[in-house]
Amino acid sequence: MIPTTPLDPAGLRELLSFYADAGVDEPLTEEPSNRFEERSSRAAAPEATRPADLAAAGNAPAPARAPAAPAQPVPRPAQPAAIPDEAQAARARELARQARTLDELKAILADFDGCNLRHTAKNLVFADGNPEADFMLVGEAPGRDEDLQGLPFVGRSGQLLDRMLAAIGRDRTSAYISNVIPWRPPGNRDPSPLETEICRPFIERHVELVAPKVLVTLGNPSTKLLLGTQTGIMRMRGTWSVHRTQSGMEIATMPTLHPAYLLRNPAHKKLTWRDFLAIKMRLRELEG
Ligand code: URA
């Protein structure tokens, strides 16, 4: 609820940071609005009612001088929202199978309209780091900073992840990073089981194309998905498992705690430190 009495600057700052902590990081109106419907009706608007066309058709005077407009993200062509269902998951499986390279997989994802998270996200968050690396980490889903930059793990938990990598002598030139879900869920909500199922073939193919020697799953969702387990992260972490790709490749996998969890529970950092030491040793053994 917006307060009815004016706030001084300090009070306003406090209120805004309270909202940001609660995940409210977009200014909205008092009334809810259906963005999917807006997109579809914009797409369906008769040609001559769009402002640019009216001006071009001489129905409206072209402005003598363009008014200064704030920088806007480049709009994507409007696409009707898909109903997330098993058919979309089947389409995702088929499309992911077709990707022969990471560039093809990225292009397929950029085109894929079967997951509605793409409509509320600003950017596709595909991956960061070195795809030739022997070491790949997979998180859950992008947050606000990742969505704005189109890169995984660039916010606070990304900074912690970078420090964890540095502790074992790695950085983004010697590690490759992605997420189970490549679009930010609105307000950082959990992705639904169906959204996860629709995105699953893409991250599975992603891992298969990178073919790292060591895979690290960060937190519960990526551990459950890539190891096909229902066992919680607290029991899974710190022990080696195997991720089997569709083509039968077996990849040594270490589940560990998610950096966002560690920011909230710093006492558990020592557990992840142990996991990272085990990862470092394994990578060293594999180097020969
Ligand atoms: N958390 C994730 O799981 N992934 C990101 O990219 C950022 C935060």
Side-chain angles (χ1 to χ4, degrees), residues 125 139-143 146 151-154 157 179 258:
V125 177
E140 182 183 9
E146 289 75 20
L151 289 171
F153 285 100
V154 290
S157 45
N179 281 308
H258 192 287

PDB file of all heavy atoms in Angstrom, residues 125 139-143 146 151-154 157 179 258, ligand 1:
ATOM      1  N   VAL A 125      18.803 -15.112 -20.664  1.00  0.00           N
ATOM      2  CA  VAL A 125      20.078 -15.273 -19.940  1.00  0.00           C
ATOM      3  C   VAL A 125      20.597 -16.661 -20.294  1.00  0.00           C
ATOM      4  O   VAL A 125      20.134 -17.665 -19.738  1.00  0.00           O
ATOM      5  CB  VAL A 125      19.870 -15.118 -18.416  1.00  0.00           C
ATOM      6  CG1 VAL A 125      21.173 -15.344 -17.663  1.00  0.00           C
ATOM      7  CG2 VAL A 125      19.315 -13.720 -18.107  1.00  0.00           C
ATOM      8  N   GLY A 139      22.944 -22.942 -12.078  1.00  0.00           N
ATOM      9  CA  GLY A 139      22.084 -22.412 -11.025  1.00  0.00           C
ATOM     10  C   GLY A 139      20.617 -22.621 -11.352  1.00  0.00           C
ATOM     11  O   GLY A 139      20.268 -23.450 -12.201  1.00  0.00           O
ATOM     12  N   GLU A 140      19.756 -21.828 -10.717  1.00  0.00           N
ATOM     13  CA  GLU A 140      18.327 -22.044 -10.902  1.00  0.00           C
ATOM     14  C   GLU A 140      17.748 -21.150 -12.000  1.00  0.00           C
ATOM     15  O   GLU A 140      17.373 -21.630 -13.060  1.00  0.00           O
ATOM     16  CB  GLU A 140      17.587 -21.797  -9.578  1.00  0.00           C
ATOM     17  CG  GLU A 140      16.090 -22.050  -9.715  1.00  0.00           C
ATOM     18  CD  GLU A 140      15.310 -21.758  -8.458  1.00  0.00           C
ATOM     19  OE1 GLU A 140      15.888 -21.196  -7.520  1.00  0.00           O
ATOM     20  OE2 GLU A 140      14.115 -22.086  -8.429  1.00  0.00           O
ATOM     21  N   ALA A 141      17.688 -19.846 -11.728  1.00  0.00           N
ATOM     22  CA  ALA A 141      17.063 -18.925 -12.676  1.00  0.00           C
ATOM     23  C   ALA A 141      17.628 -17.532 -12.454  1.00  0.00           C
ATOM     24  O   ALA A 141      18.045 -17.207 -11.348  1.00  0.00           O
ATOM     25  CB  ALA A 141      15.545 -18.909 -12.461  1.00  0.00           C
ATOM     26  N   PRO A 142      17.636 -16.712 -13.498  1.00  0.00           N
ATOM     27  CA  PRO A 142      18.177 -15.361 -13.327  1.00  0.00           C
ATOM     28  C   PRO A 142      17.335 -14.528 -12.368  1.00  0.00           C
ATOM     29  O   PRO A 142      16.120 -14.734 -12.257  1.00  0.00           O
ATOM     30  CB  PRO A 142      18.080 -14.757 -14.733  1.00  0.00           C
ATOM     31  CG  PRO A 142      17.666 -15.841 -15.644  1.00  0.00           C
ATOM     32  CD  PRO A 142      17.132 -16.965 -14.848  1.00  0.00           C
ATOM     33  N   GLY A 143      17.991 -13.593 -11.700  1.00  0.00           N
ATOM     34  CA  GLY A 143      17.283 -12.599 -10.900  1.00  0.00           C
ATOM     35  C   GLY A 143      17.260 -11.279 -11.655  1.00  0.00           C
ATOM     36  O   GLY A 143      17.497 -11.242 -12.873  1.00  0.00           O
ATOM     37  N   GLU A 146      20.617 -10.163 -13.386  1.00  0.00           N
ATOM     38  CA  GLU A 146      20.932 -11.053 -14.505  1.00  0.00           C
ATOM     39  C   GLU A 146      20.015 -10.744 -15.695  1.00  0.00           C
ATOM     40  O   GLU A 146      20.445 -10.728 -16.847  1.00  0.00           O
ATOM     41  CB  GLU A 146      20.755 -12.520 -14.081  1.00  0.00           C
ATOM     42  CG  GLU A 146      21.804 -13.034 -13.109  1.00  0.00           C
ATOM     43  CD  GLU A 146      21.637 -12.536 -11.669  1.00  0.00           C
ATOM     44  OE1 GLU A 146      20.519 -12.095 -11.317  1.00  0.00           O
ATOM     45  OE2 GLU A 146      22.613 -12.578 -10.901  1.00  0.00           O
ATOM     46  N   LEU A 151      23.095 -11.876 -18.398  1.00  0.00           N
ATOM     47  CA  LEU A 151      24.187 -12.780 -18.026  1.00  0.00           C
ATOM     48  C   LEU A 151      23.879 -13.429 -16.681  1.00  0.00           C
ATOM     49  O   LEU A 151      23.334 -12.752 -15.785  1.00  0.00           O
ATOM     50  CB  LEU A 151      25.496 -11.990 -17.881  1.00  0.00           C
ATOM     51  CG  LEU A 151      26.112 -11.461 -19.173  1.00  0.00           C
ATOM     52  CD1 LEU A 151      27.264 -10.515 -18.844  1.00  0.00           C
ATOM     53  CD2 LEU A 151      26.578 -12.614 -20.057  1.00  0.00           C
ATOM     54  N   PRO A 152      24.235 -14.706 -16.518  1.00  0.00           N
ATOM     55  CA  PRO A 152      23.945 -15.371 -15.235  1.00  0.00           C
ATOM     56  C   PRO A 152      24.890 -14.920 -14.127  1.00  0.00           C
ATOM     57  O   PRO A 152      26.048 -14.576 -14.380  1.00  0.00           O
ATOM     58  CB  PRO A 152      24.167 -16.855 -15.550  1.00  0.00           C
ATOM     59  CG  PRO A 152      25.129 -16.864 -16.682  1.00  0.00           C
ATOM     60  CD  PRO A 152      24.873 -15.606 -17.482  1.00  0.00           C
ATOM     61  N   PHE A 153      24.373 -14.937 -12.920  1.00  0.00           N
ATOM     62  CA  PHE A 153      25.178 -14.704 -11.712  1.00  0.00           C
ATOM     63  C   PHE A 153      26.034 -13.432 -11.798  1.00  0.00           C
ATOM     64  O   PHE A 153      27.262 -13.501 -11.723  1.00  0.00           O
ATOM     65  CB  PHE A 153      26.047 -15.937 -11.410  1.00  0.00           C
ATOM     66  CG  PHE A 153      25.263 -17.072 -10.821  1.00  0.00           C
ATOM     67  CD1 PHE A 153      24.856 -18.136 -11.614  1.00  0.00           C
ATOM     68  CD2 PHE A 153      24.898 -17.076  -9.479  1.00  0.00           C
ATOM     69  CE1 PHE A 153      24.101 -19.180 -11.085  1.00  0.00           C
ATOM     70  CE2 PHE A 153      24.156 -18.115  -8.938  1.00  0.00           C
ATOM     71  CZ  PHE A 153      23.753 -19.161  -9.738  1.00  0.00           C
ATOM     72  N   VAL A 154      25.362 -12.311 -11.964  1.00  0.00           N
ATOM     73  CA  VAL A 154      26.098 -11.039 -11.939  1.00  0.00           C
ATOM     74  C   VAL A 154      25.668 -10.161 -10.762  1.00  0.00           C
ATOM     75  O   VAL A 154      26.235  -9.109 -10.536  1.00  0.00           O
ATOM     76  CB  VAL A 154      25.938 -10.249 -13.270  1.00  0.00           C
ATOM     77  CG1 VAL A 154      26.680 -10.936 -14.399  1.00  0.00           C
ATOM     78  CG2 VAL A 154      24.472 -10.055 -13.620  1.00  0.00           C
ATOM     79  N   SER A 157      24.617 -12.726  -5.476  1.00  0.00           N
ATOM     80  CA  SER A 157      25.037 -14.127  -5.364  1.00  0.00           C
ATOM     81  C   SER A 157      26.104 -14.457  -6.399  1.00  0.00           C
ATOM     82  O   SER A 157      26.971 -15.306  -6.170  1.00  0.00           O
ATOM     83  CB  SER A 157      23.863 -15.102  -5.429  1.00  0.00           C
ATOM     84  OG  SER A 157      22.993 -14.766  -6.441  1.00  0.00           O
ATOM     85  N   ASN A 179      22.027 -21.574 -16.167  1.00  0.00           N
ATOM     86  CA  ASN A 179      20.911 -21.806 -15.248  1.00  0.00           C
ATOM     87  C   ASN A 179      19.941 -22.814 -15.848  1.00  0.00           C
ATOM     88  O   ASN A 179      19.868 -22.949 -17.076  1.00  0.00           O
ATOM     89  CB  ASN A 179      20.135 -20.500 -15.039  1.00  0.00           C
ATOM     90  CG  ASN A 179      20.806 -19.571 -14.055  1.00  0.00           C
ATOM     91  OD1 ASN A 179      21.134 -19.959 -12.936  1.00  0.00           O
ATOM     92  ND2 ASN A 179      21.024 -18.332 -14.476  1.00  0.00           N
ATOM     93  N   HIS A 258      23.543 -23.230  -2.905  1.00  0.00           N
ATOM     94  CA  HIS A 258      23.411 -22.088  -3.810  1.00  0.00           C
ATOM     95  C   HIS A 258      23.972 -20.841  -3.128  1.00  0.00           C
ATOM     96  O   HIS A 258      23.731 -20.624  -1.939  1.00  0.00           O
ATOM     97  CB  HIS A 258      21.924 -21.896  -4.137  1.00  0.00           C
ATOM     98  CG  HIS A 258      21.697 -20.954  -5.272  1.00  0.00           C
ATOM     99  ND1 HIS A 258      21.874 -19.599  -5.153  1.00  0.00           N
ATOM    100  CD2 HIS A 258      21.317 -21.177  -6.556  1.00  0.00           C
ATOM    101  CE1 HIS A 258      21.606 -19.025  -6.318  1.00  0.00           C
ATOM    102  NE2 HIS A 258      21.270 -19.966  -7.187  1.00  0.00           N
TER     103      HIS A 258
HETATM  104  N1  URA B   1      20.548 -17.197  -8.953  1.00  0.00           N
HETATM  105  C1  URA B   1      20.601 -18.148  -9.900  1.00  0.00           C
HETATM  106  O1  URA B   1      20.239 -19.305  -9.659  1.00  0.00           O
HETATM  107  N2  URA B   1      21.055 -17.804 -11.099  1.00  0.00           N
HETATM  108  C2  URA B   1      21.481 -16.591 -11.406  1.00  0.00           C
HETATM  109  O2  URA B   1      21.889 -16.371 -12.550  1.00  0.00           O
HETATM  110  C3  URA B   1      21.435 -15.606 -10.398  1.00  0.00           C
HETATM  111  C4  URA B   1      20.958 -15.929  -9.186  1.00  0.00           C
END
